[in-house]
mmCIF file of all heavy atoms in Angstrom:
data_model
loop_
_atom_site.group_PDB
_atom_site.id
_atom_site.type_symbol
_atom_site.label_atom_id
_atom_site.label_comp_id
_atom_site.label_asym_id
_atom_site.label_seq_id
_atom_site.Cartn_x
_atom_site.Cartn_y
_atom_site.Cartn_z
ATOM 1 N N LEU A 877 -49.535 -131.342 99.393
ATOM 2 C CA LEU A 877 -48.441 -131.150 98.520
ATOM 3 C C LEU A 877 -48.130 -129.717 98.228
ATOM 4 O O LEU A 877 -49.010 -128.854 98.114
ATOM 5 C CB LEU A 877 -48.668 -132.010 97.212
ATOM 6 C CG LEU A 877 -49.125 -133.411 97.425
ATOM 7 C CD1 LEU A 877 -49.459 -134.045 96.012
ATOM 8 C CD2 LEU A 877 -48.069 -134.234 98.074
ATOM 9 N N LEU A 878 -46.829 -129.454 97.870
ATOM 10 C CA LEU A 878 -46.448 -128.178 97.384
ATOM 11 C C LEU A 878 -45.792 -128.316 96.005
ATOM 12 O O LEU A 878 -44.971 -129.262 95.766
ATOM 13 C CB LEU A 878 -45.376 -127.545 98.268
ATOM 14 C CG LEU A 878 -45.882 -127.300 99.728
ATOM 15 C CD1 LEU A 878 -44.819 -126.558 100.549
ATOM 16 C CD2 LEU A 878 -47.091 -126.234 99.649
ATOM 17 N N HIS A 879 -46.136 -127.461 95.009
ATOM 18 C CA HIS A 879 -45.672 -127.457 93.678
ATOM 19 C C HIS A 879 -45.238 -126.109 93.382
ATOM 20 O O HIS A 879 -45.769 -125.177 93.931
ATOM 21 C CB HIS A 879 -46.660 -128.041 92.682
ATOM 22 C CG HIS A 879 -47.368 -129.253 93.055
ATOM 23 N ND1 HIS A 879 -46.662 -130.448 93.295
ATOM 24 C CD2 HIS A 879 -48.645 -129.454 93.390
ATOM 25 C CE1 HIS A 879 -47.629 -131.316 93.693
ATOM 26 N NE2 HIS A 879 -48.805 -130.763 93.713
ATOM 27 N N GLY A 880 -44.363 -125.942 92.373
ATOM 28 C CA GLY A 880 -44.024 -124.592 91.842
ATOM 29 C C GLY A 880 -43.453 -124.624 90.530
ATOM 30 O O GLY A 880 -43.173 -125.641 89.982
ATOM 31 N N GLY A 881 -43.420 -123.426 89.818
ATOM 32 C CA GLY A 881 -42.907 -123.379 88.361
ATOM 33 C C GLY A 881 -42.590 -122.022 87.982
ATOM 34 O O GLY A 881 -43.109 -121.048 88.520
ATOM 35 N N VAL A 882 -41.588 -121.800 87.243
ATOM 36 C CA VAL A 882 -41.120 -120.588 86.726
ATOM 37 C C VAL A 882 -40.887 -120.644 85.152
ATOM 38 O O VAL A 882 -40.360 -121.674 84.823
ATOM 39 C CB VAL A 882 -39.766 -120.241 87.428
ATOM 40 C CG1 VAL A 882 -39.285 -118.881 86.781
ATOM 41 C CG2 VAL A 882 -39.898 -120.067 88.878
ATOM 42 N N SER A 883 -41.377 -119.738 84.472
ATOM 43 C CA SER A 883 -41.303 -119.649 83.080
ATOM 44 C C SER A 883 -40.744 -118.260 82.676
ATOM 45 O O SER A 883 -41.190 -117.204 83.250
ATOM 46 C CB SER A 883 -42.658 -119.805 82.281
ATOM 47 O OG SER A 883 -42.447 -119.798 80.954
ATOM 48 N N TYR A 884 -39.733 -118.217 81.925
ATOM 49 C CA TYR A 884 -39.119 -116.838 81.476
ATOM 50 C C TYR A 884 -38.940 -116.842 79.976
ATOM 51 O O TYR A 884 -38.284 -117.717 79.366
ATOM 52 C CB TYR A 884 -37.829 -116.730 82.220
ATOM 53 C CG TYR A 884 -37.125 -115.409 81.973
ATOM 54 C CD1 TYR A 884 -37.879 -114.251 82.062
ATOM 55 C CD2 TYR A 884 -35.794 -115.296 81.522
ATOM 56 C CE1 TYR A 884 -37.300 -112.974 81.878
ATOM 57 C CE2 TYR A 884 -35.258 -114.069 81.358
ATOM 58 C CZ TYR A 884 -35.983 -112.863 81.481
ATOM 59 O OH TYR A 884 -35.346 -111.672 81.199
ATOM 60 N N ARG A 885 -39.523 -115.813 79.384
ATOM 61 C CA ARG A 885 -39.270 -115.601 77.972
ATOM 62 C C ARG A 885 -38.468 -114.421 77.762
ATOM 63 O O ARG A 885 -38.830 -113.301 78.327
ATOM 64 C CB ARG A 885 -40.637 -115.473 77.271
ATOM 65 C CG ARG A 885 -40.645 -115.261 75.764
ATOM 66 C CD ARG A 885 -41.946 -114.943 75.181
ATOM 67 N NE ARG A 885 -42.841 -116.002 75.478
ATOM 68 C CZ ARG A 885 -44.190 -115.990 75.358
ATOM 69 N NH1 ARG A 885 -44.794 -114.891 74.956
ATOM 70 N NH2 ARG A 885 -44.957 -117.130 75.614
ATOM 71 N N PHE A 886 -37.324 -114.493 77.008
ATOM 72 C CA PHE A 886 -36.421 -113.363 76.954
ATOM 73 C C PHE A 886 -35.900 -113.139 75.489
ATOM 74 O O PHE A 886 -36.060 -114.056 74.671
ATOM 75 C CB PHE A 886 -35.203 -113.443 77.906
ATOM 76 C CG PHE A 886 -34.428 -114.801 77.578
ATOM 77 C CD1 PHE A 886 -33.317 -114.685 76.760
ATOM 78 C CD2 PHE A 886 -34.836 -116.045 78.195
ATOM 79 C CE1 PHE A 886 -32.532 -115.857 76.639
ATOM 80 C CE2 PHE A 886 -34.126 -117.127 77.897
ATOM 81 C CZ PHE A 886 -32.976 -117.041 77.243
ATOM 82 N N ARG A 887 -35.459 -112.033 75.208
ATOM 83 C CA ARG A 887 -34.995 -111.739 73.824
ATOM 84 C C ARG A 887 -33.399 -112.135 73.773
ATOM 85 O O ARG A 887 -32.593 -111.733 74.654
ATOM 86 C CB ARG A 887 -35.104 -110.308 73.528
ATOM 87 C CG ARG A 887 -34.703 -109.870 72.121
ATOM 88 C CD ARG A 887 -35.007 -108.380 71.930
ATOM 89 N NE ARG A 887 -36.405 -108.087 72.059
ATOM 90 C CZ ARG A 887 -37.395 -108.308 70.905
ATOM 91 N NH1 ARG A 887 -36.784 -108.848 69.878
ATOM 92 N NH2 ARG A 887 -38.540 -108.015 71.003
ATOM 93 N N LEU A 888 -33.110 -112.853 72.723
ATOM 94 C CA LEU A 888 -31.763 -113.216 72.509
ATOM 95 C C LEU A 888 -31.529 -112.912 70.953
ATOM 96 O O LEU A 888 -31.855 -113.730 70.147
ATOM 97 C CB LEU A 888 -31.512 -114.650 72.795
ATOM 98 C CG LEU A 888 -30.125 -115.167 72.514
ATOM 99 C CD1 LEU A 888 -29.060 -114.425 73.541
ATOM 100 C CD2 LEU A 888 -30.067 -116.673 72.815
ATOM 101 N N GLY A 889 -30.962 -111.750 70.638
ATOM 102 C CA GLY A 889 -30.861 -111.403 69.225
ATOM 103 C C GLY A 889 -32.214 -110.995 68.683
ATOM 104 O O GLY A 889 -33.025 -110.279 69.137
ATOM 105 N N MET A 890 -32.528 -111.807 67.606
ATOM 106 C CA MET A 890 -33.838 -111.670 67.012
ATOM 107 C C MET A 890 -34.779 -112.730 67.504
ATOM 108 O O MET A 890 -35.875 -112.896 66.891
ATOM 109 C CB MET A 890 -33.727 -111.819 65.545
ATOM 110 C CG MET A 890 -32.748 -110.638 64.934
ATOM 111 S SD MET A 890 -33.444 -108.982 65.283
ATOM 112 C CE MET A 890 -34.783 -109.005 64.231
ATOM 113 N N LEU A 891 -34.367 -113.566 68.517
ATOM 114 C CA LEU A 891 -35.306 -114.700 68.999
ATOM 115 C C LEU A 891 -35.768 -114.329 70.368
ATOM 116 O O LEU A 891 -35.304 -113.468 71.037
ATOM 117 C CB LEU A 891 -34.457 -115.934 68.947
ATOM 118 C CG LEU A 891 -33.932 -116.280 67.568
ATOM 119 C CD1 LEU A 891 -33.031 -117.557 67.714
ATOM 120 C CD2 LEU A 891 -35.041 -116.582 66.569
ATOM 121 N N MET A 892 -36.742 -115.057 70.675
ATOM 122 C CA MET A 892 -37.341 -114.977 72.144
ATOM 123 C C MET A 892 -37.380 -116.509 72.646
ATOM 124 O O MET A 892 -38.421 -117.089 72.710
ATOM 125 C CB MET A 892 -38.625 -114.371 72.199
ATOM 126 C CG MET A 892 -38.514 -112.850 71.978
ATOM 127 S SD MET A 892 -40.128 -112.021 72.446
ATOM 128 C CE MET A 892 -40.055 -112.057 74.162
ATOM 129 N N PRO A 893 -36.304 -117.054 73.266
ATOM 130 C CA PRO A 893 -36.307 -118.402 73.810
ATOM 131 C C PRO A 893 -37.180 -118.344 75.077
ATOM 132 O O PRO A 893 -37.366 -117.369 75.737
ATOM 133 C CB PRO A 893 -34.851 -118.599 74.102
ATOM 134 C CG PRO A 893 -34.031 -117.714 73.284
ATOM 135 C CD PRO A 893 -34.867 -116.516 73.088
ATOM 136 N N GLU A 894 -37.641 -119.493 75.497
ATOM 137 C CA GLU A 894 -38.386 -119.723 76.680
ATOM 138 C C GLU A 894 -37.761 -120.813 77.501
ATOM 139 O O GLU A 894 -37.398 -121.883 77.015
ATOM 140 C CB GLU A 894 -39.825 -120.182 76.324
ATOM 141 C CG GLU A 894 -40.647 -119.152 75.384
ATOM 142 C CD GLU A 894 -42.011 -119.798 75.014
ATOM 143 O OE1 GLU A 894 -42.339 -120.693 75.672
ATOM 144 O OE2 GLU A 894 -42.552 -119.259 74.059
ATOM 145 N N VAL A 895 -37.625 -120.502 78.820
ATOM 146 C CA VAL A 895 -37.170 -121.467 79.768
ATOM 147 C C VAL A 895 -38.077 -121.789 80.762
ATOM 148 O O VAL A 895 -38.650 -120.826 81.366
ATOM 149 C CB VAL A 895 -35.841 -121.020 80.338
ATOM 150 C CG1 VAL A 895 -35.248 -122.126 81.407
ATOM 151 C CG2 VAL A 895 -34.646 -120.719 79.373
ATOM 152 N N ASN A 896 -38.473 -123.088 80.990
ATOM 153 C CA ASN A 896 -39.445 -123.454 81.934
ATOM 154 C C ASN A 896 -38.984 -124.429 82.978
ATOM 155 O O ASN A 896 -38.458 -125.482 82.507
ATOM 156 C CB ASN A 896 -40.719 -124.000 81.141
ATOM 157 C CG ASN A 896 -41.959 -124.274 82.032
ATOM 158 O OD1 ASN A 896 -41.802 -124.941 83.080
ATOM 159 N ND2 ASN A 896 -43.085 -123.686 81.688
ATOM 160 N N LEU A 897 -38.958 -124.119 84.218
ATOM 161 C CA LEU A 897 -38.594 -124.952 85.238
ATOM 162 C C LEU A 897 -39.666 -125.251 86.226
ATOM 163 O O LEU A 897 -40.337 -124.231 86.836
ATOM 164 C CB LEU A 897 -37.414 -124.481 86.013
ATOM 165 C CG LEU A 897 -37.036 -125.205 87.261
ATOM 166 C CD1 LEU A 897 -36.423 -126.623 86.813
ATOM 167 C CD2 LEU A 897 -35.967 -124.558 88.071
ATOM 168 N N THR A 898 -40.145 -126.494 86.390
ATOM 169 C CA THR A 898 -41.238 -126.851 87.413
ATOM 170 C C THR A 898 -40.692 -127.945 88.328
ATOM 171 O O THR A 898 -39.782 -128.669 88.135
ATOM 172 C CB THR A 898 -42.481 -127.501 86.671
ATOM 173 O OG1 THR A 898 -42.023 -128.620 85.874
ATOM 174 C CG2 THR A 898 -43.082 -126.480 85.594
ATOM 175 N N VAL A 899 -41.272 -127.901 89.562
ATOM 176 C CA VAL A 899 -40.848 -128.750 90.675
ATOM 177 C C VAL A 899 -42.284 -129.333 91.198
ATOM 178 O O VAL A 899 -43.088 -128.516 91.643
ATOM 179 C CB VAL A 899 -40.118 -128.132 91.684
ATOM 180 C CG1 VAL A 899 -39.667 -129.125 92.724
ATOM 181 C CG2 VAL A 899 -38.893 -127.224 91.272
ATOM 182 N N ARG A 900 -42.463 -130.557 91.184
ATOM 183 C CA ARG A 900 -43.586 -131.263 91.766
ATOM 184 C C ARG A 900 -43.187 -131.882 93.014
ATOM 185 O O ARG A 900 -42.210 -132.397 93.252
ATOM 186 C CB ARG A 900 -44.136 -132.345 90.660
ATOM 187 C CG ARG A 900 -44.404 -131.873 89.293
ATOM 188 C CD ARG A 900 -45.562 -130.909 89.195
ATOM 189 N NE ARG A 900 -46.799 -131.521 89.645
ATOM 190 C CZ ARG A 900 -47.935 -130.962 89.741
ATOM 191 N NH1 ARG A 900 -48.061 -129.576 89.624
ATOM 192 N NH2 ARG A 900 -49.027 -131.586 90.216
ATOM 193 N N ASN A 901 -44.131 -131.877 93.983
ATOM 194 C CA ASN A 901 -43.910 -132.383 95.217
ATOM 195 C C ASN A 901 -42.582 -131.943 95.934
ATOM 196 O O ASN A 901 -41.712 -132.776 96.199
ATOM 197 C CB ASN A 901 -43.947 -134.020 95.114
ATOM 198 C CG ASN A 901 -44.040 -134.653 96.392
ATOM 199 O OD1 ASN A 901 -44.210 -134.052 97.563
ATOM 200 N ND2 ASN A 901 -43.903 -136.008 96.389
ATOM 201 N N ILE A 902 -42.511 -130.671 96.152
ATOM 202 C CA ILE A 902 -41.408 -130.065 96.560
ATOM 203 C C ILE A 902 -40.847 -130.639 97.884
ATOM 204 O O ILE A 902 -39.594 -130.766 98.121
ATOM 205 C CB ILE A 902 -41.661 -128.480 96.776
ATOM 206 C CG1 ILE A 902 -41.949 -127.811 95.471
ATOM 207 C CG2 ILE A 902 -40.344 -127.782 97.451
ATOM 208 C CD1 ILE A 902 -42.299 -126.311 95.546
ATOM 209 N N LEU A 903 -41.819 -131.106 98.828
ATOM 210 C CA LEU A 903 -41.303 -131.541 100.169
ATOM 211 C C LEU A 903 -41.124 -133.022 100.042
ATOM 212 O O LEU A 903 -40.893 -133.607 101.151
ATOM 213 C CB LEU A 903 -42.447 -131.339 101.201
ATOM 214 C CG LEU A 903 -42.765 -129.772 101.344
ATOM 215 C CD1 LEU A 903 -43.704 -129.681 102.402
ATOM 216 C CD2 LEU A 903 -41.443 -129.015 101.837
ATOM 217 N N ASN A 904 -41.018 -133.685 98.867
ATOM 218 C CA ASN A 904 -40.825 -135.186 98.736
ATOM 219 C C ASN A 904 -41.811 -136.054 99.550
ATOM 220 O O ASN A 904 -41.253 -136.935 100.260
ATOM 221 C CB ASN A 904 -39.340 -135.448 99.006
ATOM 222 C CG ASN A 904 -38.894 -136.712 98.470
ATOM 223 O OD1 ASN A 904 -39.269 -137.091 97.334
ATOM 224 N ND2 ASN A 904 -38.034 -137.328 99.193
ATOM 225 N N THR A 905 -43.003 -135.560 99.611
ATOM 226 C CA THR A 905 -44.077 -136.323 100.487
ATOM 227 C C THR A 905 -44.377 -137.594 99.817
ATOM 228 O O THR A 905 -44.534 -137.686 98.646
ATOM 229 C CB THR A 905 -45.334 -135.489 100.516
ATOM 230 O OG1 THR A 905 -44.956 -134.132 100.979
ATOM 231 C CG2 THR A 905 -46.357 -136.093 101.383
ATOM 232 N N ARG A 906 -44.522 -138.640 100.710
ATOM 233 C CA ARG A 906 -44.942 -139.934 100.296
ATOM 234 C C ARG A 906 -46.513 -139.913 100.338
ATOM 235 O O ARG A 906 -47.107 -139.816 101.408
ATOM 236 C CB ARG A 906 -44.396 -141.032 101.210
ATOM 237 C CG ARG A 906 -44.915 -142.390 100.834
ATOM 238 C CD ARG A 906 -44.259 -143.521 101.632
ATOM 239 N NE ARG A 906 -44.793 -144.781 101.348
ATOM 240 C CZ ARG A 906 -44.117 -145.978 101.648
ATOM 241 N NH1 ARG A 906 -42.953 -145.959 102.237
ATOM 242 N NH2 ARG A 906 -44.715 -147.122 101.389
ATOM 243 N N TYR A 907 -47.039 -140.240 99.166
ATOM 244 C CA TYR A 907 -48.556 -140.272 99.061
ATOM 245 C C TYR A 907 -48.975 -141.127 97.972
ATOM 246 O O TYR A 907 -48.116 -141.546 97.102
ATOM 247 C CB TYR A 907 -49.190 -138.872 98.902
ATOM 248 C CG TYR A 907 -48.962 -138.257 97.441
ATOM 249 C CD1 TYR A 907 -50.044 -138.234 96.573
ATOM 250 C CD2 TYR A 907 -47.686 -137.742 97.089
ATOM 251 C CE1 TYR A 907 -49.819 -137.736 95.304
ATOM 252 C CE2 TYR A 907 -47.440 -137.205 95.775
ATOM 253 C CZ TYR A 907 -48.550 -137.216 94.915
ATOM 254 O OH TYR A 907 -48.349 -136.771 93.605
ATOM 255 N N TYR A 908 -50.268 -141.495 97.911
ATOM 256 C CA TYR A 908 -50.871 -142.369 96.869
ATOM 257 C C TYR A 908 -51.963 -141.731 96.043
ATOM 258 O O TYR A 908 -52.591 -140.830 96.604
ATOM 259 C CB TYR A 908 -51.482 -143.592 97.594
ATOM 260 C CG TYR A 908 -50.477 -144.468 98.376
ATOM 261 C CD1 TYR A 908 -50.516 -144.286 99.773
ATOM 262 C CD2 TYR A 908 -49.697 -145.428 97.796
ATOM 263 C CE1 TYR A 908 -49.533 -144.983 100.578
ATOM 264 C CE2 TYR A 908 -48.847 -146.147 98.513
ATOM 265 C CZ TYR A 908 -48.731 -145.929 99.951
ATOM 266 O OH TYR A 908 -47.802 -146.647 100.669
ATOM 267 N N ASN A 909 -51.901 -142.082 94.824
ATOM 268 C CA ASN A 909 -53.017 -141.517 93.967
ATOM 269 C C ASN A 909 -54.132 -142.720 93.881
ATOM 270 O O ASN A 909 -53.816 -143.747 93.479
ATOM 271 C CB ASN A 909 -52.406 -141.234 92.561
ATOM 272 C CG ASN A 909 -53.469 -140.817 91.613
ATOM 273 O OD1 ASN A 909 -54.622 -140.695 91.921
ATOM 274 N ND2 ASN A 909 -53.140 -140.558 90.317
ATOM 275 N N HIS A 910 -55.250 -142.330 94.373
ATOM 276 C CA HIS A 910 -56.446 -143.368 94.459
ATOM 277 C C HIS A 910 -56.700 -143.901 92.982
ATOM 278 O O HIS A 910 -57.201 -145.047 92.963
ATOM 279 C CB HIS A 910 -57.558 -142.732 95.136
ATOM 280 C CG HIS A 910 -58.614 -143.807 95.468
ATOM 281 N ND1 HIS A 910 -58.563 -144.651 96.428
ATOM 282 C CD2 HIS A 910 -59.824 -143.936 94.844
ATOM 283 C CE1 HIS A 910 -59.568 -145.430 96.287
ATOM 284 N NE2 HIS A 910 -60.476 -144.958 95.444
ATOM 285 N N LEU A 911 -56.443 -143.112 92.087
ATOM 286 C CA LEU A 911 -56.836 -143.492 90.696
ATOM 287 C C LEU A 911 -55.784 -144.107 89.935
ATOM 288 O O LEU A 911 -55.805 -144.502 88.732
ATOM 289 C CB LEU A 911 -57.273 -142.233 89.800
ATOM 290 C CG LEU A 911 -58.399 -141.362 90.488
ATOM 291 C CD1 LEU A 911 -58.782 -140.368 89.749
ATOM 292 C CD2 LEU A 911 -59.681 -142.344 90.775
ATOM 293 N N SER A 912 -54.515 -144.352 90.525
ATOM 294 C CA SER A 912 -53.438 -144.856 89.865
ATOM 295 C C SER A 912 -53.526 -146.355 89.677
ATOM 296 O O SER A 912 -54.046 -147.089 90.489
ATOM 297 C CB SER A 912 -52.065 -144.603 90.721
ATOM 298 O OG SER A 912 -51.011 -145.372 90.117
ATOM 299 N N PHE A 913 -52.994 -146.833 88.458
ATOM 300 C CA PHE A 913 -53.051 -148.252 88.142
ATOM 301 C C PHE A 913 -52.134 -149.086 89.171
ATOM 302 O O PHE A 913 -52.479 -150.210 89.560
ATOM 303 C CB PHE A 913 -52.369 -148.409 86.822
ATOM 304 C CG PHE A 913 -52.001 -149.791 86.445
ATOM 305 C CD1 PHE A 913 -53.019 -150.777 86.318
ATOM 306 C CD2 PHE A 913 -50.666 -150.072 86.317
ATOM 307 C CE1 PHE A 913 -52.726 -152.109 86.005
ATOM 308 C CE2 PHE A 913 -50.382 -151.414 85.813
ATOM 309 C CZ PHE A 913 -51.348 -152.477 85.758
ATOM 310 N N TYR A 914 -51.159 -148.424 89.773
ATOM 311 C CA TYR A 914 -50.209 -149.068 90.794
ATOM 312 C C TYR A 914 -50.674 -148.874 92.230
ATOM 313 O O TYR A 914 -50.013 -149.324 93.078
ATOM 314 C CB TYR A 914 -48.773 -148.542 90.623
ATOM 315 C CG TYR A 914 -48.095 -149.031 89.516
ATOM 316 C CD1 TYR A 914 -47.130 -148.289 88.789
ATOM 317 C CD2 TYR A 914 -48.201 -150.329 89.015
ATOM 318 C CE1 TYR A 914 -46.443 -148.777 87.685
ATOM 319 C CE2 TYR A 914 -47.562 -150.797 87.867
ATOM 320 C CZ TYR A 914 -46.615 -150.054 87.284
ATOM 321 O OH TYR A 914 -45.971 -150.547 86.109
#
Side-chain angles (χ1 to χ4, degrees):
L877 309 174
L878 297 179
H879 315 294
V882 177
S883 177
Y884 184 50
R885 180 184 302 167
F886 59 96
R887 184 176 297 278
L888 184 62
M890 300 300 292
L891 300 173
M892 288 193 70
E894 303 173 17
V895 179
N896 187 306
L897 175 65
T898 59
V899 187
R900 307 289 300 172
N901 194 4
I902 295 175
L903 299 181
N904 201 35
T905 301
R906 176 171 176 165
Y907 74 103
Y908 300 97
N909 179 0
H910 187 73
L911 306 180
S912 173
F913 167 67
Y914 284 145

